[in-house]
Amino acid sequence: MRRSVALCALSTSLLLSGCQSVNTTSGDAVGVERKQYMFSMLSTDEVNKMYAQSYQETVKEASGKGVLDTTSANAKRVHAIADRLIAQAPKLRPDSAQWQWEVNLIKSDDLNANCGPGGKIIVYSGLIDTLKLSDDEIAAVMGHEIAHALREHGREAMSKAYGVAMAKQGAGALLGLGQDSLALADTVVNYSLTLPNSRGNENEADLLGLELAARAGYNPNAAITLWEKMSQNSGDSPPEFMSTHPASATRVASLQAAIPKVMPLYQAAKK
């Protein structure tokens, strides 16, 4: 957190409006209360629009290659699970009810899934087929990824990247708002949205995703069996999901400690 504040302070001399402290989520049962710092010039809507364009390109490319799966049993499972999770998202972030959520399954051997800013979800079939995931385990993955979007970890990473880039390039690249600025923005978007999340952000997504899945009526214990399956399939060539979401004893212990907090939500949802 100190590093984020330092970056914001450094960049305030270059930007008239600087950074602002925000609360992206609230009312959770798992105790995610960290303050986040975002550049005020980089709004939620702007980031969502940036990512939406990239997402549509990915979906269009998959469709053109014939690997966009909209009709299989797994596609129906993914959509049904997503609908239940999305319905609970406003409990943690009210304005997510107005997001333009999208869900797509892509045929691929990749063991991966993600949810970008604004609720743009992609699941790769290899994750389901190779690990033989149950609905509860799929919900654990998707809940985790949705939590990243609810907490705006992508925008947070972009804010930090802007701070570094601006400090290096100076005020001239920003005050002109010309081609140099646009190139800087493109670089920051591409760089920050493809980086692995920090350990702290991963923990937040673990906890909020656990709660989201529980609220939607999915067994929280599935988060543990999911990571067990991930670890068993890591081998010499770890799946892509593991490279950005490494499993560890600390991670599993944190999930196990949080399960009793969300179990009442799960039990209430199952009634």
Side-chain angles (χ1 to χ4, degrees), residues 124-205:
Y124 295 88
S125 61
L127 186 68
I128 300 172
D129 294 334
T130 303
L131 300 185
K132 296 180 172 54
L133 298 187
S134 66
D135 284 4
D136 291 315
E137 290 165 340
I138 295 173
V141 173
M142 295 177 69
H144 174 98
E145 293 303 315
I146 289 171
H148 277 306
L150 296 178
R151 284 292 285 174
E152 289 194 83
H153 287 152
R155 181 182 170 214
E156 189 173 20
M158 290 172 69
S159 293
K160 293 177 182 179
Y162 266 117
V164 172
M166 291 172 189
K168 289 180 178 179
Q169 294 198 17
L174 296 163
L175 299 178
L177 294 177
Q179 291 302 313
D180 289 343
S181 298
L182 295 176
L184 174 62
D186 287 343
T187 299
V188 168
V189 171
N190 292 333
Y191 177 72
S192 61
L193 293 183
T194 56
L195 278 179
N197 283 288
S198 69
R199 183 176 298 178
N201 286 359
E202 282 298 304
N203 184 60
E204 289 180 352

Side-chain angles (χ1 to χ4, degrees), residues 11-168:
S11 301
T12 301
S13 62
L14 302 177
L15 283 173
L16 296 178
S17 42
C19 266
Q20 60 185 2
S21 174
V22 300
N23 293 315
T24 54
T25 57
S26 61
D28 61 83
V30 290
V32 175
E33 299 175 351
R34 178 181 63 90
K35 288 184 178 180
Q36 296 171 275
Y37 295 89
M38 313 282 191
F39 277 128
S40 55
M41 283 183 65
L42 193 63
S43 72
T44 297
D45 286 343
E46 287 171 329
V47 174
N48 290 355
K49 288 177 182 177
M50 288 178 191
Y51 190 79
Q53 181 176 352
S54 175
Y55 181 86
Q56 293 305 326
E57 291 172 357
T58 299
V59 172
K60 183 178 180 180
E61 181 181 357
S63 180
K65 293 180 178 179
V67 295
L68 187 65
D69 185 350
T70 60
T71 60
S72 72
N74 275 343
K76 294 175 181 178
R77 289 174 69 199
V78 166
H79 279 271
I81 294 167
D83 286 346
R84 286 169 58 176
L85 293 170
I86 291 168
Q88 298 303 316
K91 300 284 181 60
L92 300 177
R93 179 170 179 148
D95 70 328
S96 66
Q98 281 74 54
W99 286 2
Q100 300 299 309
W101 292 87
E102 293 186 53
V103 186
N104 282 286
L105 177 67
I106 292 179
K107 298 176 185 177
S108 169
D109 292 335
D110 291 344
L111 276 67
N112 203 10
N114 59 69
C115 178
K120 308 301 186 188
I121 302 169
I122 289 179
V123 178
Y124 295 88
S125 61
L127 186 68
I128 300 172
D129 294 334
T130 303
L131 300 185
K132 296 180 172 54
L133 298 187
S134 66
D135 284 4
D136 291 315
E137 290 165 340
I138 295 173
V141 173
M142 295 177 69
H144 174 98
E145 293 303 315
I146 289 171
H148 277 306
L150 296 178
R151 284 292 285 174
E152 289 194 83
H153 287 152
R155 181 182 170 214
E156 189 173 20
M158 290 172 69
S159 293
K160 293 177 182 179
Y162 266 117
V164 172
M166 291 172 189
K168 289 180 178 179

Side-chain angles (χ1 to χ4, degrees), residues 167-269:
K168 289 180 178 179
Q169 294 198 17
L174 296 163
L175 299 178
L177 294 177
Q179 291 302 313
D180 289 343
S181 298
L182 295 176
L184 174 62
D186 287 343
T187 299
V188 168
V189 171
N190 292 333
Y191 177 72
S192 61
L193 293 183
T194 56
L195 278 179
N197 283 288
S198 69
R199 183 176 298 178
N201 286 359
E202 282 298 304
N203 184 60
E204 289 180 352
D206 279 347
L207 297 178
L208 290 176
L210 192 72
E211 176 169 343
L212 191 62
R215 287 183 177 277
Y218 293 103
N219 192 333
N221 290 295
I224 305 301
T225 60
L226 167 69
W227 288 112
E228 288 174 346
K229 289 183 177 182
M230 283 284 189
S231 296
Q232 291 167 2
N233 280 268
S234 59
D236 295 329
S237 300
E240 185 176 355
F241 193 85
M242 288 287 285
S243 68
T244 55
H245 302 71
S248 67
T250 301
R251 176 173 222 151
V252 172
S254 177
L255 285 166
Q256 289 174 328
I259 286 174
K261 299 177 183 178
V262 301
M263 190 57 73
L265 299 172
Y266 167 64
Q267 293 168 340

